Amino acid sequence: MKKFNIRKVLDGLTAASSSSSSATAQPGTPRENDVVQETLQSEHFQLCKTVRHGFPYQPSSMAFDPVQKILAIGTQTGALRLFGRAGVECYCQHESGAAVIQLQFLINEGALVSALADDSIHLWNLRQKIPAILHSLKFNRERITYCHLPFQSKWLYIGTERGNIHIVNVESFTLSGYVIMWNKAIELSTKTHPGPVVHISDNPMDEGKLLIGFECGVVVLWDLKSKKADYRYNYDEAIHSVAWHHEGKQFVCSHSDGTLTTWNVRAPAKPAQIITPHGKQPKDGKKPEPCKPILKVEYKTTRAGDPFMVLCGGLSYDTVGRRACLTVMHGKSTAVLEMDYPIVDFLTLCETPYPNDFQEPYAVVVLLEKDLVVIDLGQIGYPIFENPYPLTIHESPVTCCEYFADCPAELIPALYSVGSRQKRQGYSKKEWPISGGNWGQGTQSYPEIIITGHADGSIKFWDASALMLQVLYKIKTAKVFERTRGKEDKPSTDIVEEDPFAIQTLCWCPESRMLCVAGVSAHVIVYRFSKQEVTTEVVQLLEVRMQCEFSDVDSPDPGGEQTPTLPTSGASSSPQESEPHAQSSTGSNSSNGPRDNIPCLQVRSSPLKQSPGYQVELVIQLVWVSGEPPQQITSLAINSSYGLVVFGNSNGLAVVDYLQKTLLLNMGTLELYSPSEPYQRQPRSPRKARQPSGALCDSNDGSNPPEDRCKSPTSVKSKSRHFSKTVANDLAKISRKISTSSEQKPDLDAKDNSFTRSRSSSVTSIDRESREAISSFHFCESLPRKTDSLVTPCLMVGTTQGSVIMVALSLPPGGDQRMQQPVGISSCGTLVRLKGGILTMALLDSTGTLLPPSYEPWYDPNASDEEKEKIRRRRPGSPPSSQEGQDSQFAVLCSEKQAKVVAMPSQTRVYKHNITETSFVLRADVVQMAGANCIACFCANGHIMTLSLPSLRPLLDVNYLPLTDMRIARTFCFSNLGQALYLTSPTEIQRITYSQETCDNLQEMLSELFTPVETPEAPNRGFFKGLFGGGAQSLDREDLFGETAAGKASRSLAQHIPGPGSMEGMKGAASGVVGDLARARIALDERGQKLGELEERTAAMMASAESFSKHAHDMMLKYKDKKWYQL
């Protein structure tokens, strides 16, 4: 039976209405949808989350299943992350969003109990691929402070802030009537409240004895059967944690003054031992100085040698500024292991799950605020294990992100081979100990690569295939520059206070492996990929002067572009301009005059050793102009087939030939418009006498002293120059969009009316010039003019004001001529105007097939000449030439507000769709999906939409995620085959899919957490222990805590909430190919479940009737022979 989705039905209705209203063809143009057969339908789309990668943000608690070998981490936002072997990880979320204060595995049962800060406890079923809550219990009158679930027990002890202990049956999630009240536990003579319960554990050798630790320093050994305290242990310092010796005769407490007290169970009068691990021992025998609290201690025994005592905290107060430490005490040796971040929690991993056996610890898992470290206890020096999880995404804050699905197959092995040489040494030789779970059996096998740019200037390549994530390779772009000096040497005109190397945007061509990155200090670096190591003696440097001057505007002439006093954005930076201050070799930064021709960063002058991988081809830097800093780069593109890189900002654009290392074009945005358009000027020829402003500069040019050449990085606007590392990057892309959204209507009216106004309005020209920035580029082979009949290399330029301008490129022949003859560039005027800034552009052929930019296949630049001279083919081959009067291409254009499809070369609008009226689009990409193409959009109001091509029919519109953070806007990106991602927190990448096929196959692709494993055998008690009763004492907790013995708990104490886990989880899993069969099976299961419940109720009633009959018979026998006066 076919499934119906009401949202998709509505999408189809809106598509029909929108195509009739807005997607109509221009008069005289044939209906293109008669020609182009579109295959994508709304049934191809569905939105769902797939996996979350990275370090759990703001972790708060941790647990480990020693049999399943699964690690669980809870966070302050109510998230749960579960980890097994490399590639096995899972994310789930508590609806309340309250912090997870404690986690407890039902060891080897495939279940987990979580306790939250909102005083609720939840039982998670881990036997399904997407874990779900089976039961919840919400406490109403008491606050939960500590939980303890003994191994192989179904009774969970819950300590509260009031000092009481309640007991929950984890099978039914009902409270027992058995309660340990604080006033019964402590001595009657005690006048003060003992404080919250901070520890609960049962004696490893006697399950009937419960050790309860109160915050004030009192520890009570409670006898569960007799319901009274056996012993009370008093110490005058607050307790943080307690740990048993496995024989149950001793326990250790950690205290707030940095001491550890060891107690013999049968000697409660005083501790057997008091030590201060990090305290300085005074010579006169006095008490050592107090230290910081020891927050946690674990006491683990070994058969062969001394026990291990592992603790965190306890450092002396004079170690101010010292990093957090984990202390491992083994015999007489004490090792203090420094951590990079504060410790949240730690767990010692042991060979046995039984608390009454020798523990044999082999590793310590340390959960830090921003890292997860596992220490090998079995090797000298306690080395750490190499972490196989992708937890280093946030090593430096992520500033930009790109996602490439369906890459060339040879890319991942190539990146892995060069990246494997970057790995650290000195790790433990043993296998990673968290090794549970199994990988998914997904059928999707196409290569996927994620690239992240970071605040420290590093770039990481990640293998994201098959829902996994693994770092492949890392580039450090900061190596190209001299290191920044100390704060006392910094100039007074700082623009970005920190992270001058932060990556702003990047452009990567997977086929040619060319990489181009732009940084916040207005610099661009072009990289080539090579498998051979080289040493670059002099880093190739090109300095570009882009400016926007208003100082000369006194009396504007109606003639417009003929008047030299008009604002000429970028005029002095054009290669042909011969103004004296454009000499880049004579930069000035004296205290008397403004900075001029000074780049923000100084390129290193010493030789640069470049390892195999990405190697610097060219560095381009924008320079200061008359005391004004260069504007940050807002858009970037590279084309390996043409050998060109182009970048733009709020002043204009520059085109650089990275093969010849020359500046081809440098002009203001307004100069791109043709003279026939209002307010615009004819662009000057890019190939006149070249001045040094665009010349190739050696980075070790001695004309500028180093202190003058190494300048502070730039921000978006010179007026507000002090930005943090993330804000500086955000503003370049986002702030203009928010302002554009609020000012959109009046601004657009002014723009549209400007075509009919007089061209003499230079004030409007100045206003527009100051705001119109370059927002996007697209290299293509197209027909830039209406009269063209043959395709030629082109550059499409999109601006923040919604203009799309065509620029024709004239390339010299290949080979030697390419290196000697100049590339010709000519602007062909505006192609079309849209509302809002242009986000993405693409080209389709007459059948609706995407025409990707041409590229040059990768070759090793350091290989032999024969390899370099191989024929470099282009893709795609030149499309067939257009016939007169017939359009052979479609230009697809998407802005912050709308999308348009324009026929080429006639430049007539074929389709138009208004994406949003009240919000604006943050990210749009033309992507391949199910053998066809579509536009995928992410709006600031949280909607994710897809539009068909070329007719722009809405296929998907889901209100997914409101823009709550600039980080999401900065990192959201779509890729082919229905994949997308964004940074959901500073440390985590969330991947989503908008493909119905992927959603259907998701269950198969996800990894399994639970695998059937036999529980290890219990330790042998031994002959003598069995004979004299020295072994572990078992306890039938059912007799103590069950309803028949303990009665019912108060209903007002806690509320039971059945979870959606069991049957609902199965319903969710049954939406695949065999959905109908699965639903039928579920219906049978539900029926069986109901019959089972009915049978249980019938059995209970029969048992009750039988019990009543028995009691009545006993009563009759008791009083049968008695007289009435004996009753």
Side-chain angles (χ1 to χ4, degrees):
M1 180 179 135
K2 188 174 177 182
K3 289 185 298 180
F4 284 98
N5 186 320
I6 187 65
R7 188 195 74 243
K8 292 175 181 175
V9 173
L10 291 172
D11 285 347
L13 292 172
T14 55
S17 62
S18 65
S19 56
S20 62
S21 59
S22 64
T24 53
Q26 290 288 329
T29 305
R31 290 282 301 202
E32 296 296 338
N33 60 348
D34 296 337
V35 181
V36 179
Q37 294 295 318
E38 293 185 7
T39 56
L40 282 180
Q41 302 298 326
S42 60
E43 289 78 43
H44 289 105
F45 295 89
Q46 184 179 336
L47 195 71
C48 69
K49 292 180 180 179
T50 52
V51 287
R52 183 173 291 200
H53 301 295
F55 182 76
Y57 183 56
Q58 295 180 330
S60 55
S61 56
M62 178 172 60
F64 183 70
D65 186 325
V67 180
Q68 286 288 317
K69 305 235 184 284
I70 294 286
L71 181 76
I73 296 176
T75 74
Q76 292 177 28
T77 54
L80 267 184
R81 294 286 299 281
L82 296 123
F83 296 92
R85 67 178 64 188
V88 173
E89 50 182 301
C90 179
Y91 158 78
C92 32
Q93 176 73 40
H94 293 91
E95 277 187 25
S96 67
V100 181
I101 57 173
Q102 202 174 346
L103 294 170
Q104 290 267 304
F105 272 102
L106 276 68
I107 293 173
N108 205 25
E109 296 288 337
L112 175 74
V113 173
S114 57
L116 270 57
D118 65 354
D119 309 308
S120 63
I121 57 170
H122 308 269
L123 179 66
W124 289 85
N125 176 16
L126 307 183
R127 289 178 179 245
Q128 54 197 60
K129 289 196 171 184
I130 301 174
I133 292 175
L134 293 169
H135 299 282
S136 298
L137 198 63
K138 178 81 165 67
F139 281 73
N140 299 320
R141 297 186 310 206
E142 297 200 48
R143 309 222 61 185
I144 298 171
T145 55
Y146 194 87
C147 298
H148 170 62
L149 181 66
F151 178 46
Q152 293 182 324
S153 166
K154 68 175 184 179
W155 298 96
L156 173 72
Y157 300 103
I158 295 179
T160 69
E161 199 171 47
R162 290 189 185 177
N164 303 325
I165 292 178
H166 301 279
I167 300 163
V168 174
N169 183 325
V170 292
E171 289 179 353
S172 60
F173 246 52
T174 52
L175 272 169
S176 166
Y178 191 116
V179 182
I180 303 172
M181 305 300 288
W182 67 270
N183 53 349
K184 300 278 181 66
I186 65 169
E187 290 181 270
L188 295 175
S189 59
T190 308
K191 294 181 180 179
T192 56
H193 189 278
V197 175
V198 295
H199 178 82
I200 307 169
S201 61
D202 46 345
N203 186 318
M205 286 293 179
D206 188 352
E207 294 172 349
K209 311 289 186 186
L210 198 67
L211 196 70
I212 306 164
F214 295 96
E215 190 180 61
C216 69
V218 174
V219 179
V220 175
L221 188 68
W222 181 264
D223 188 313
L224 289 166
K225 288 180 180 174
S226 63
K227 299 185 182 180
K228 64 182 180 63
D230 279 358
Y231 300 104
R232 296 181 179 92
Y233 313 85
N234 291 286
Y235 192 70
D236 55 3
E237 290 292 339
I239 286 176
H240 284 278
S241 73
V242 183
W244 279 102
H245 186 282
H246 85 274
E247 289 179 346
K249 296 175 183 175
Q250 274 190 339
F251 61 88
V252 178
C253 300
S254 72
H255 298 276
S256 57
D257 63 346
T259 57
L260 293 173
T261 56
T262 305
W263 300 81
N264 290 324
V265 169
R266 298 180 183 277
K270 65 171 187 175
Q273 186 184 35
I274 302 175
I275 59 168
T276 310
H278 296 285
K280 293 175 181 174
Q281 299 292 336
K283 293 179 181 176
D284 52 6
K286 289 182 181 177
K287 199 175 177 183
E289 290 179 14
C291 294
K292 295 175 186 175
I294 295 177
L295 302 175
K296 185 174 182 180
V297 63
E298 291 203 342
Y299 191 15
K300 303 296 180 184
T301 54
T302 59
R303 273 190 174 79
D306 296 314
F308 281 87
M309 205 172 282
V310 186
L311 54 107
C312 69
L315 297 177
S316 61
Y317 280 101
D318 60 7
T319 55
V320 178
R322 188 172 178 181
R323 293 190 293 185
C325 293
L326 187 82
T327 305
V328 180
M329 301 167 68
H330 184 225
K332 294 181 180 178
S333 72
T334 299
V336 180
L337 310 174
E338 278 199 351
M339 302 292 156
D340 291 335
Y341 305 101
I343 296 171
V344 176
D345 196 2
F346 74 87
L347 293 170
T348 309
L349 308 189
C350 302
E351 297 288 354
T352 177
Y354 293 94
N356 59 348
D357 194 9
F358 285 99
Q359 298 297 284
E360 303 294 347
Y362 59 90
V364 182
V365 181
V366 190
L367 178 63
L368 308 176
E369 280 186 4
K370 293 184 179 180
D371 202 2
L372 182 73
V373 176
V374 182
I375 297 161
D376 185 355
L377 292 179
Q379 290 188 34
I380 298 169
Y382 304 132
I384 64 169
F385 289 86
E386 184 175 7
N387 198 320
Y389 309 135
L391 302 184
T392 58
I393 292 167
H394 64 288
E395 194 172 29
S396 172
V398 176
T399 53
C400 71
C401 198
E402 293 295 336
Y403 189 7
F404 300 86
D406 206 12
C407 299
E410 68 278 1
L411 261 179
I412 289 175
L415 289 165
Y416 181 81
S417 66
V418 293
S420 58
R421 307 177 197 192
Q422 299 176 331
K423 290 193 175 179
R424 278 179 50 189
Q425 303 300 316
Y427 290 113
S428 168
K429 301 290 188 290
K430 294 180 185 172
E431 291 289 318
W432 180 250
I434 304 163
S435 56
N438 281 320
W439 295 324
Q441 304 297 318
T443 54
Q444 292 185 359
S445 58
Y446 48 83
E448 298 173 75
I449 290 177
I450 295 169
I451 306 179
T452 52
H454 299 264
D456 64 354
S458 62
I459 296 167
K460 290 181 181 175
F461 290 78
W462 304 81
D463 177 6
S465 311
L467 295 187
M468 295 188 189
L469 195 69
Q470 179 185 11
V471 69
L472 290 170
Y473 176 64
K474 179 180 177 180
I475 309 171
K476 295 179 180 176
T477 63
K479 279 185 175 180
V480 177
F481 302 101
E482 299 286 1
R483 281 289 167 191
T484 49
R485 298 159 304 193
K487 286 188 177 177
E488 65 279 1
D489 298 329
K490 279 193 174 180
S492 58
T493 51
D494 278 357
I495 297 157
V496 174
E497 286 184 335
E498 47 187 310
D499 298 327
F501 309 112
I503 306 299
Q504 179 113 350
T505 184
L506 59 89
C507 180
W508 186 52
C509 173
E511 288 82 9
S512 67
R513 305 187 192 175
M514 291 297 298
L515 174 69
C516 191
V517 299
V520 293
S521 296
H523 62 275
V524 175
I525 309 175
V526 180
Y527 286 93
R528 278 188 190 272
F529 187 85
S530 174
K531 293 181 178 178
Q532 300 178 23
E533 184 177 295
V534 294
T535 299
T536 306
E537 294 297 327
V538 177
V539 175
Q540 300 285 286
L541 171 64
L542 195 63
E543 290 183 352
V544 179
R545 183 182 174 91
M546 296 177 80
Q547 69 186 87
C548 187
E549 293 182 350
F550 303 107
S551 56
D552 297 330
V553 183
D554 296 323
S555 54
D557 189 292
E561 69 274 2
Q562 285 83 9
T563 309
T565 55
L566 269 178
T568 54
S569 166
S572 65
S573 62
S574 297
Q576 71 278 6
E577 293 292 321
S578 55
E579 298 177 21
H581 64 270
Q583 303 285 334
S584 64
S585 58
T586 57
S588 66
N589 188 33
S590 63
S591 56
N592 301 328
R595 290 188 186 187
D596 201 40
N597 288 320
I598 307 294
C600 299
L601 301 171
Q602 184 180 8
V603 173
R604 63 183 289 162
S605 53
S606 55
L608 176 64
K609 183 182 176 182
Q610 305 203 69
S611 302
Y614 274 100
Q615 298 171 352
V616 180
E617 172 88 356
L618 177 64
V619 178
I620 306 162
Q621 288 184 288
L622 302 188
V623 295
W624 286 65
V625 177
S626 305
E628 285 298 312
Q631 298 296 294
Q632 284 190 339
I633 291 161
T634 55
S635 53
L636 179 71
I638 190 168
N639 187 282
S640 58
S641 182
Y642 307 155
L644 301 179
V645 61
V646 57
F647 55 91
N649 61 14
S650 57
N651 288 343
L653 68 86
V655 182
V656 170
D657 183 338
Y658 66 77
L659 298 176
Q660 295 186 28
K661 314 290 191 294
T662 54
L663 178 66
L664 299 173
L665 182 74
N666 178 8
M667 59 167 53
T669 312
L670 292 184
E671 296 177 282
L672 288 170
Y673 293 94
S674 66
S676 60
E677 295 174 275
Y679 308 143
Q680 314 312 334
R681 291 178 294 280
Q682 177 67 35
R684 289 178 286 271
S685 164
R687 296 299 299 181
K688 289 186 183 175
R690 190 176 305 283
Q691 292 300 315
S693 64
L696 183 62
C697 308
D698 289 341
S699 61
N700 58 355
D701 189 340
S703 57
N704 278 345
E707 61 270 16
D708 287 346
R709 298 300 297 271
C710 180
K711 303 304 169 191
S712 60
T714 68
S715 71
V716 184
K717 296 288 180 188
S718 57
K719 291 177 184 174
S720 51
R721 292 176 180 167
H722 297 275
F723 290 126
S724 70
K725 53 193 169 190
T726 52
V727 174
N729 191 47
D730 291 337
L731 284 174
K733 288 188 178 178
I734 306 304
S735 61
R736 64 172 181 79
K737 298 185 180 180
I738 294 168
S739 62
T740 306
S741 178
S742 59
E743 301 167 3
Q744 195 68 45
K745 288 193 177 176
D747 184 29
L748 280 166
D749 292 341
K751 235 181 349 182
D752 293 339
N753 295 338
S754 68
F755 284 102
T756 57
R757 290 182 192 160
S758 164
R759 293 177 62 189
S760 62
S761 175
S762 60
V763 177
T764 311
S765 174
I766 293 168
D767 179 52
R768 181 169 165 189
E769 177 165 345
S770 67
R771 289 185 296 124
E772 186 162 22
I774 306 295
S775 59
S776 61
F777 295 112
H778 181 66
F779 282 104
C780 58
E781 296 196 350
S782 185
L783 305 124
R785 302 172 189 84
K786 290 185 179 182
T787 56
D788 286 346
S789 59
L790 293 173
V791 295
T792 55
C794 298
L795 174 65
M796 298 167 83
V797 181
T799 74
T800 54
Q801 296 294 314
S803 293
V804 177
I805 301 159
M806 296 295 290
V807 175
L809 307 172
S810 174
L811 296 169
D816 292 340
Q817 293 183 64
R818 173 64 185 87
M819 299 302 293
Q820 293 164 4
Q821 296 182 22
V823 176
I825 303 177
S826 59
S827 176
C828 303
T830 306
L831 170 66
V832 70
R833 298 286 295 277
L834 284 77
K835 291 181 185 176
I838 304 297
L839 296 177
T840 191
M841 300 173 282
L843 208 61
L844 308 177
D845 68 11
S846 57
T847 64
T849 306
L850 188 68
L851 296 172
S854 58
Y855 64 85
E856 180 180 70
W858 175 76
Y859 67 94
D860 197 320
N862 301 317
S864 61
D865 291 339
E866 295 83 35
E867 179 148 353
K868 287 185 182 181
E869 288 171 6
K870 285 197 309 183
I871 299 168
R872 296 170 188 171
R873 63 188 183 280
R874 290 181 181 177
R875 197 193 68 163
S878 295
S881 59
S882 175
Q883 301 298 318
E884 283 299 321
Q886 184 181 346
D887 291 326
S888 64
Q889 291 182 341
F890 296 110
V892 179
L893 315 157
C894 186
S895 74
E896 295 166 330
K897 291 285 184 179
Q898 58 183 192
K900 286 184 181 179
V901 173
V902 176
M904 305 288 282
S906 67
Q907 300 188 6
T908 54
R909 192 194 79 202
V910 185
Y911 297 102
K912 170 186 161 187
H913 177 74
N914 291 323
I915 299 170
T916 176
E917 294 292 342
T918 56
S919 184
F920 57 93
V921 179
L922 286 164
R923 176 79 186 220
D925 289 291
V926 175
V927 292
Q928 293 180 5
M929 171 85 179
N933 305 296
C934 62
I935 300 177
C937 306
F938 172 55
C939 266
N941 61 10
H943 283 253
I944 290 178
M945 294 170 275
T946 60
L947 306 172
S948 71
L949 287 176
S951 68
L952 302 179
R953 283 180 302 115
L955 298 170
L956 174 76
D957 186 350
V958 178
N959 188 2
Y960 170 70
L961 165 99
L963 178 61
T964 54
D965 199 316
M966 287 288 189
R967 183 190 321 103
I968 297 171
R970 189 175 65 239
T971 57
F972 198 104
C973 48
F974 295 98
S975 189
N976 292 329
L977 305 173
Q979 307 297 333
L981 64 81
Y982 59 93
L983 245 76
T984 185
S985 74
T987 63
E988 295 166 291
I989 286 175
Q990 178 66 57
R991 290 166 71 178
I992 61 175
T993 181
Y994 49 97
S995 158
Q996 178 73 58
E997 183 187 2
T998 306
C999 290
D1000 289 343
N1001 296 328
L1002 188 59
Q1003 282 287 331
E1004 292 175 26
M1005 297 165 66
L1006 292 174
S1007 52
E1008 284 186 88
L1009 289 167
F1010 180 79
T1011 50
V1013 180
E1014 292 242 352
T1015 303
E1017 284 187 22
N1020 193 351
R1021 290 174 65 184
F1023 174 74
F1024 289 105
K1025 283 187 178 179
L1027 189 64
F1028 298 110
Q1033 302 295 312
S1034 62
L1035 172 77
D1036 189 347
R1037 295 184 177 92
E1038 187 69 45
D1039 284 352
L1040 282 175
F1041 307 144
E1043 195 174 310
T1044 51
K1048 287 187 177 180
S1050 167
R1051 285 189 176 182
S1052 61
L1053 181 63
Q1055 175 190 0
H1056 177 255
I1057 306 160
S1062 51
M1063 299 309 292
E1064 293 298 322
M1066 286 175 67
K1067 284 175 185 171
S1071 60
V1073 184
V1074 290
D1076 294 333
L1077 285 173
R1079 278 190 286 276
R1081 197 182 312 118
I1082 289 170
L1084 282 171
D1085 288 346
E1086 285 177 341
R1087 185 165 174 264
Q1089 192 179 39
K1090 286 172 184 169
L1091 287 170
E1093 287 170 4
L1094 184 63
E1095 192 177 338
E1096 283 171 14
R1097 283 200 297 271
T1098 308
M1101 287 171 67
M1102 287 176 66
S1104 175
E1106 192 178 335
S1107 172
F1108 180 76
S1109 169
K1110 184 172 176 290
H1111 283 303
H1113 185 69
D1114 291 345
M1115 187 79 74
M1116 185 266 292
L1117 291 175
K1118 183 176 179 181
Y1119 296 111
K1120 186 174 72 170
D1121 298 325
K1122 293 190 178 182
K1123 304 295 183 186
W1124 64 270
Y1125 52 82
Q1126 293 175 316
L1127 296 175

